[in-house]
Amino acid sequence: MSALSIPFKFYFPPTTATSFPPSQTKPHNLTFQRRTRTTTKTACTASENPKQRQNPKRNRAEAKTETTSDDVEKGIDPAGFLAKRGISHKAFALFLRERYKVLKDMKDEILKRHENFMILASGFELLGMHRHPEPRVDYMEWAPGARYCAIVGDFNDWSPTENCAREHYFGHDDYGYWFIILQDKLREGEEPDKYYFQMYNYVDDYDKGDSGVTVEELLKKANEEYWEPGEDRYSNNRFEGPVKLYEQIFGPNGPQTMEDLPDIPDPKTRYKEWAAEHGPSRTAAMDSGKEYDIYNVIVDPEWHEKIRALKPPIAYWFETRKGRKAWMKKYSPGIPHGSKYRVYFNTPNGPLERVPAWATYVQPEVDGKQAYAIHWEPPPEQAYKWKNKSPKVPKSLRIYEAHVGISGSEPKISSFNEFTDKVLPYIKEAGYNTIQLIGIVEHKDYFTVGYRVTNYFAVSSRYGTPEDFKRLVDEAHGLGLLVFLEIVHSYAAADEMVGLSMFDGSNDSFFRTGKRGQHKFWGTRMFKYGDPDVLHFLVSNLNWWIVEYQIDGFQFHSVSSMLYTHNGFASFTGDLEEYCNQYVDKDALVYLILANEILHYLHPNIVTIAEDATFYPGLCEPTSQGGLGFDYYVNLSVSDMWSTFLESVPDHEWNMTKIVNTLVSNREYADKMLMYAENHNQSISGRRSFAEILFGEIDENSHHYKESLLRGSSLHKMIRLITLTIGGRAYLNFMGNEFGHPKRVEFPSSSNNNSYMLANRCWDLLAKDGVHCDLFSFDKDMMKLDENQRVLSRGFPNIHHVNDSSMVISYIRGPLVFIFNFHPTESYDSYSIGVEEAGEYQIIMNTDEIKYGGQGKLKENQYLFKTISKRVDGLRNCLEVSLPSRTAQVYKLRRILRI
């Protein structure tokens, strides 16, 4: 008897109430399934399971009614943020409601395919290569355009017939999913497992061998503990019930053949006759007035409650599992760790070999060699074991953006381990609390900086193994650093042999067809966001990096490329009509909403950042109020402004009003704004970093060398200080720019003869006294300023002084007063700046200090100032301060004076 089989008791009415059918040509089996209660936690509550409610198609007018009545109780208003922000625009409000209906329809479609949204986001648990508890590896792939699917690799001599999807083994379903089993190979001299359900624990008890206890002994022990004497009677004697019933109907000497069987009235007639004599039966299935199967038998309610109270003997079931030691003794893996493999398809256009879409480790095409996936299943003693938990998300983010490959000093591709050992401690010392990595996801061409992704579930093999990357993330967490990834879901590489393009021979599996499927300027492919299977792939990909690598956040790259059919390459005036016209992709918007909803539900501490040059309305608003649900958005215009000023505008023509308006372009979302003076775009994308602009053309033998060096150093510090302190709660800096890295980045390509000379960072500059060491010292103290004074986490600053003629900017943020003098030549001895609180203010940071490479015109005995009772800048008091040219100071209120 199985340990999990369920006994039952028959309550037999007299002969006249038997339940056999009038005519019966062969015996029937009675089967009873135990009902189990399952609790499902659904990721998103904006839509119910379609099986539980009807959702007929409605027209646009009905959709408007639906969103204003059915969802009110859930706190959902598809255009809620417009009223919150005081925006009145009928066309855009209607667009938001129509978009919400598309979202609801998509959720309903998803829930027809998946039990809940958590399962939607967990595709990596089924698709790709997975070790099964039984001695085998399962492979699943989505390829709706294929007619035949097989796994080929060095483990089977690249045979397209040995490991293929077979009929009657769930080989292929109606949605285009293929399933292949790769059985482990029995070693010579070993006997097959006696039971087909024999399982092995490959990780937790990997050193456990065969205990010698048979399955029969375990099941017998489980039965003895689980059942009371006599309760398993009918399970052990399966024919006792039918025999007893037969005797009740026909007596001990009833007919022995079908020919001898007399006519029997139908069950309802027999039951009515019996009930008229004995009264209704509490166990009769027909009493409820419903049409039941005549074979349905009601279980004794008392026994039913008793059996529910018992604890199933699952521990004994797990005891039947053997460990890795026993598995290795009996089997050799069907596909060993480190094996190279590809997926083979037969398509209408002929046979194809592709790198699997869900592969977790890939060797990209190099030197003309074809790419392949690598089966990554390290033994437990080699698998990385996590030591640290993710740090708590701070109120302000100081993000250090880095690229692992160029993080070393030598002209080569650096590794994960080198970055972990050398760069992580430096980032911690520099005062940043978050690192953001670019180019981590596998890509074919190194010179693309990782933006033309080919394999979305794989870390780039250029830098090391998946275990190496886990170590990097874990060590970063141990240092108190969050780890973000820049994720590219806005487009994909157009490579066919290694990427997703034409994956199964069809042009429309992952991507759109026609012009919509191609990026107009970059030659990349555009995802088909309205397809549930593509959403399954993309949302699972986000969840994969969190679950497998404990990533703390994502910056979504180039959101504007996916939101518009023109890929964001259009002029925007700010009119809301531009965000709801025919060029806007509703499916892409729905994907972003779904991604944010699911991620924030499954992982409440996750951080999502939108890089959108068009600043789509509602980027950082809650999805329940018509927003897209991001935590931060990137103010891309800031770096462009600084680049333009440094390269094209003379110093004395810098416009202070333009600087302020650009830095605080959207005050309503200031707390959601991420700003940077320059990121990797200024260093990598064929442009020049600020340091290269400021210091690159300075001649050491020139008479103006010191003056030019002072100018470059002063502007470098001032630009960073105002960008950090005037904006939102997040600031970003690209690796090396904090100390004024003098050279741009050039990845090896045909244009530079594949040279690595500029694909590195000159860390040795910090070992020498000079401008780079001074700039790093300033940047480090600037990070300490935020850490100690909580600058970024405070409310939006009061920008009360912007003077274009004197080129002075001042603003107040909490107890701190920031004053900037951008004038290239004019210094001011007693410049009046308004403050609200009367008291003593002390300089806590001065860009002109000698330790920062300045001139030190203000001495320490000049760092304390008292307010004057004089109304300036609309405030009751003022400070008269000394402002040397091209300097900035930060004042803190030390003592309040009561007047």
Side-chain angles (χ1 to χ4, degrees):
M1 186 197 83
S2 171
L4 296 180
S5 60
I6 303 172
F8 52 88
K9 294 182 180 180
F10 282 103
Y11 287 80
F12 299 109
T15 305
T16 54
T18 53
S19 299
F20 277 93
S23 61
Q24 180 174 334
T25 58
K26 61 180 179 179
H28 290 261
N29 293 325
L30 293 174
T31 58
F32 303 89
Q33 294 182 350
R34 180 175 183 177
R35 294 181 180 178
T36 58
R37 294 180 179 177
T38 58
T39 302
T40 302
K41 196 171 185 179
T42 306
C44 303
T45 59
S47 178
E48 299 174 357
N49 194 313
K51 295 179 181 179
Q52 299 175 353
R53 62 178 177 85
Q54 294 182 350
N55 186 24
K57 296 294 182 180
R58 299 175 175 89
N59 58 30
R60 181 179 299 181
E62 290 174 319
K64 289 179 65 177
T65 304
E66 180 184 24
T67 57
T68 56
S69 59
D70 186 48
D71 300 315
V72 169
E73 295 180 1
K74 300 175 184 177
I76 297 174
D77 184 353
F81 81 91
L82 294 181
K84 174 184 174 183
R85 301 295 178 183
I87 301 173
S88 178
H89 196 283
K90 290 184 178 180
F92 190 67
L94 178 61
F95 175 84
L96 292 179
R97 292 187 173 90
E98 292 174 349
R99 188 186 73 188
Y100 178 68
K101 184 182 183 301
V102 175
L103 174 65
K104 290 189 70 175
D105 290 344
M106 177 55 70
K107 286 183 177 181
D108 289 343
E109 180 66 26
I110 289 170
L111 291 175
K112 292 177 183 177
R113 303 268 295 274
H114 306 278
E115 186 177 353
N116 53 52
F117 291 97
M118 183 174 67
I119 294 177
L120 170 75
S122 303
F124 53 84
E125 295 180 355
L126 289 176
L127 284 102
M129 286 278 189
H130 296 282
R131 168 60 62 182
H132 194 275
E134 295 175 13
R136 74 190 206 208
V137 170
D138 293 343
Y139 174 80
M140 186 179 287
E141 190 67 79
W142 181 61
R147 295 177 175 176
Y148 175 87
C149 179
I151 292 295
V152 297
D154 55 9
F155 64 95
N156 64 6
D157 295 327
W158 303 93
S159 169
T161 58
E162 184 171 339
N163 301 105
C164 59
R166 297 188 293 167
E167 293 296 330
H168 311 300
Y169 283 82
F170 307 104
H172 185 213
D173 69 5
D174 295 337
Y175 295 106
Y177 287 88
W178 296 87
F179 182 70
I180 299 174
I181 295 177
L182 293 85
Q183 293 285 356
D184 292 338
K185 300 175 182 177
L186 197 67
R187 295 186 186 273
E188 187 176 354
E190 293 290 334
E191 294 291 332
D193 288 316
K194 183 177 179 180
Y195 299 97
Y196 72 91
F197 55 80
Q198 180 64 60
M199 295 186 178
Y200 293 85
N201 192 327
Y202 302 89
V203 180
D204 298 336
D205 300 322
Y206 68 92
D207 59 344
K208 175 183 173 185
D210 193 338
S211 63
V213 181
T214 65
V215 174
E216 289 87 349
E217 291 175 318
L218 288 171
L219 294 180
K220 184 175 181 298
K221 189 175 181 181
N223 286 338
E224 290 174 353
E225 181 178 310
Y226 194 65
W227 306 120
E228 292 182 3
E231 280 193 333
D232 58 350
R233 173 183 171 189
Y234 288 105
S235 295
N236 291 331
N237 304 280
R238 299 182 182 277
F239 294 104
E240 183 177 342
V243 168
K244 185 175 181 181
L245 182 62
Y246 185 84
E247 289 181 353
Q248 286 183 356
I249 299 174
F250 302 106
N253 299 316
Q256 301 298 312
T257 64
M258 294 296 295
E259 289 76 9
D260 299 335
L261 191 69
D263 293 335
I264 301 175
D266 65 272
K268 286 186 177 181
T269 302
R270 297 196 307 273
Y271 175 72
K272 288 179 180 179
E273 293 175 356
W274 181 89
E277 181 179 352
H278 300 89
S281 170
R282 65 170 183 160
T283 59
M286 286 177 271
D287 274 358
S288 62
K290 298 180 181 179
E291 294 293 332
Y292 282 98
D293 190 303
I294 58 175
Y295 294 101
N296 189 26
V297 177
I298 291 183
V299 179
D300 179 11
E302 295 178 3
W303 178 88
H304 198 265
E305 292 301 321
K306 179 180 177 182
I307 204 65
R308 281 185 176 276
L310 290 176
K311 184 178 180 181
I314 295 189
Y316 292 104
W317 180 260
F318 286 145
E319 187 66 21
T320 64
R321 288 190 176 185
K322 299 177 182 179
R324 184 179 180 85
K325 183 178 179 181
W327 170 70
M328 293 181 65
K329 179 177 179 297
K330 186 181 286 286
Y331 295 97
S332 62
I335 175 170
H337 167 62
S339 298
K340 302 174 183 177
Y341 71 96
R342 289 192 288 269
V343 59
Y344 174 94
F345 295 125
N346 196 352
T347 72
N349 296 323
L352 299 173
E353 284 188 13
R354 294 286 188 257
V355 174
W358 298 73
T360 58
Y361 194 38
V362 175
Q363 182 66 52
E365 184 177 352
V366 179
D367 299 330
K369 297 180 181 179
Q370 194 172 4
Y372 48 78
I374 299 175
H375 179 55
W376 194 254
E377 188 187 356
E381 59 270 19
Q382 296 179 13
Y384 187 80
K385 295 176 177 60
W386 295 90
K387 299 178 294 185
N388 304 297
K389 294 183 178 179
S390 297
K392 184 180 178 181
V393 178
K395 292 184 178 180
S396 63
L397 297 176
R398 301 185 299 275
I399 303 172
Y400 194 85
E401 188 182 40
H403 186 286
V404 171
I406 65 171
S407 63
S409 299
E410 300 178 16
K412 65 169 189 175
I413 298 178
S414 294
S415 67
F416 287 133
N417 288 332
E418 290 172 328
F419 187 91
T420 302
D421 296 334
K422 298 178 182 179
V423 182
L424 281 183
Y426 166 82
I427 297 173
K428 178 64 177 179
E429 178 195 356
Y432 292 84
N433 58 21
T434 305
I435 60 173
Q436 180 169 297
L437 299 173
I438 62 175
I440 292 296
V441 187
E442 189 60 87
H443 48 287
K444 175 186 172 184
D445 299 314
Y446 186 49
F447 68 85
T448 63
V449 200
Y451 287 116
R452 297 190 179 183
V453 176
T454 51
N455 310 100
Y456 280 81
F457 290 83
V459 296
S460 181
S461 59
R462 295 176 180 86
Y463 316 131
T465 67
E467 310 308 304
D468 295 336
F469 184 59
K470 289 178 183 178
R471 176 175 174 260
L472 186 157
V473 176
D474 196 27
E475 292 296 329
H477 288 166
L479 293 172
L481 300 172
L482 297 176
V483 181
F484 292 174
L485 285 188
E486 186 168 29
I487 201 79
V488 186
H489 282 185
S490 47
Y491 51 83
D495 300 84
E496 296 180 9
M497 293 303 296
V498 66
L500 299 176
S501 184
M502 302 290 290
F503 179 69
D504 58 358
S506 63
N507 195 33
D508 61 347
S509 54
F510 286 94
F511 307 108
R512 296 180 182 274
T513 57
K515 294 182 179 180
R516 292 286 303 277
Q518 304 283 340
H519 195 289
K520 291 186 176 181
F521 299 95
W522 297 342
T524 50
R525 298 302 307 274
M526 306 304 295
F527 283 106
K528 186 165 56 174
Y529 299 104
D531 189 304
D533 293 293
V534 176
L535 291 180
H536 183 43
F537 177 84
L538 294 175
V539 176
S540 294
N541 181 240
L542 295 171
N543 196 28
W544 159 260
W545 290 102
I546 302 172
V547 172
E548 182 69 12
Y549 295 107
Q550 299 190 13
I551 295 301
D552 304 298
F554 299 101
Q555 176 169 310
F556 285 70
H557 170 73
S558 190
V559 170
S560 54
S561 292
M562 60 193 292
L563 292 186
Y564 310 97
T565 58
H566 50 63
N567 304 129
F569 286 86
S571 59
F572 282 79
T573 63
D575 188 346
L576 286 179
E577 184 68 29
E578 297 167 339
Y579 302 104
C580 61
N581 57 25
Q582 70 272 25
Y583 302 111
V584 179
D585 190 336
K586 287 182 184 176
D587 292 336
L589 288 166
V590 165
Y591 160 65
L592 292 175
I593 294 171
L594 269 176
N596 276 302
E597 279 189 359
I598 294 173
L599 286 181
H600 285 93
Y601 180 86
L602 296 178
H603 312 283
N605 294 324
I606 200 71
V607 177
T608 58
I609 305 169
E611 183 192 66
D612 177 19
T614 67
F615 187 65
Y616 192 87
L619 268 180
C620 297
E621 293 287 354
T623 57
S624 62
Q625 299 301 305
L628 302 188
F630 286 98
D631 297 298
Y632 294 92
Y633 74 95
V634 181
N635 188 340
L636 293 168
S637 59
V638 173
S639 58
D640 292 336
M641 176 198 68
W642 290 127
S643 296
T644 301
F645 276 20
L646 290 174
E647 291 185 307
S648 307
V649 182
D651 291 0
H652 64 277
E653 294 182 9
W654 284 24
N655 187 288
M656 301 299 105
T657 302
K658 182 176 181 179
I659 290 175
V660 171
N661 289 341
T662 304
L663 290 169
V664 293
S665 57
N666 200 318
R667 301 192 180 202
E668 292 180 341
Y669 295 98
D671 61 328
K672 302 289 187 180
M673 183 164 45
L674 182 152
M675 290 207 302
Y676 52 79
E678 54 179 335
N679 73 341
H680 67 272
N681 286 327
Q682 282 67 41
S683 302
I684 292 177
S685 305
R687 301 161 68 180
R688 296 189 297 168
S689 69
F690 291 178
E692 189 173 6
I693 298 172
L694 293 169
F695 306 121
E697 299 178 359
I698 298 178
D699 184 1
E700 294 186 8
N701 299 319
S702 170
H703 294 293
H704 304 289
Y705 171 71
K706 289 187 177 181
E707 181 181 344
S708 299
L709 194 66
L710 178 63
R711 170 188 176 269
S713 175
S714 299
L715 290 177
H716 195 274
K717 291 177 289 187
M718 293 179 69
I719 288 173
R720 273 164 169 70
L721 181 61
I722 193 172
T723 304
L724 170 75
T725 58
I726 201 174
R729 295 175 180 265
Y731 171 81
L732 180 143
N733 168 73
F734 180 64
M735 176 175 60
N737 288 345
E738 71 278 2
F739 63 83
H741 195 278
K743 299 178 182 178
R744 65 188 181 279
V745 177
E746 270 191 14
F747 283 82
S749 63
S750 57
S751 62
N752 61 9
N753 296 320
N754 295 313
S755 171
Y756 287 84
M757 293 306 297
L758 292 177
N760 58 0
R761 298 280 87 179
C762 301
W763 301 110
D764 57 312
L765 294 173
L766 296 176
K768 309 172 187 176
D769 291 336
V771 63
H772 301 291
C773 191
D774 296 338
L775 292 177
F776 175 64
S777 179
F778 174 78
D779 194 84
K780 187 162 58 172
D781 286 350
M782 193 169 65
M783 296 301 108
K784 288 181 181 178
L785 175 70
D786 175 61
E787 183 176 1
N788 297 332
Q789 305 298 331
R790 299 179 293 112
V791 177
L792 297 184
S793 59
R794 296 184 183 275
F796 190 77
N798 174 19
I799 306 172
H800 63 292
H801 187 98
V802 180
N803 192 316
D804 289 320
S805 59
S806 63
M807 300 183 69
V808 174
I809 298 172
S810 179
Y811 50 90
I812 301 172
R813 199 162 189 175
L816 305 178
V817 181
F818 298 85
I819 307 175
F820 295 81
N821 179 13
F822 279 95
H823 205 290
T825 57
E826 289 293 332
S827 298
Y828 307 103
D829 293 329
S830 298
Y831 195 92
S832 296
I833 295 292
V835 294
E836 186 64 30
E837 287 286 354
E840 292 181 349
Y841 289 79
Q842 184 178 7
I843 296 177
I844 59 174
M845 192 169 198
N846 178 17
T847 62
D848 193 43
E849 288 192 36
I850 294 176
K851 66 178 181 179
Y852 301 146
Q855 296 177 293
K857 291 184 177 180
L858 290 179
K859 308 303 179 184
E860 288 191 8
N861 57 6
Q862 298 176 282
Y863 275 22
L864 190 64
F865 293 83
K866 287 186 179 181
T867 57
I868 299 173
S869 182
K870 176 182 176 183
R871 195 168 188 86
V872 175
D873 300 326
L875 302 176
R876 293 179 294 178
N877 301 282
C878 80
L879 290 171
E880 291 188 349
V881 298
S882 298
L883 295 179
S885 61
R886 285 204 189 102
T887 63
Q889 295 110 36
V890 182
Y891 295 79
K892 183 177 182 180
L893 177 62
R894 290 295 187 188
R895 189 161 67 96
I896 298 176
L897 298 178
R898 299 299 179 188
I899 301 177

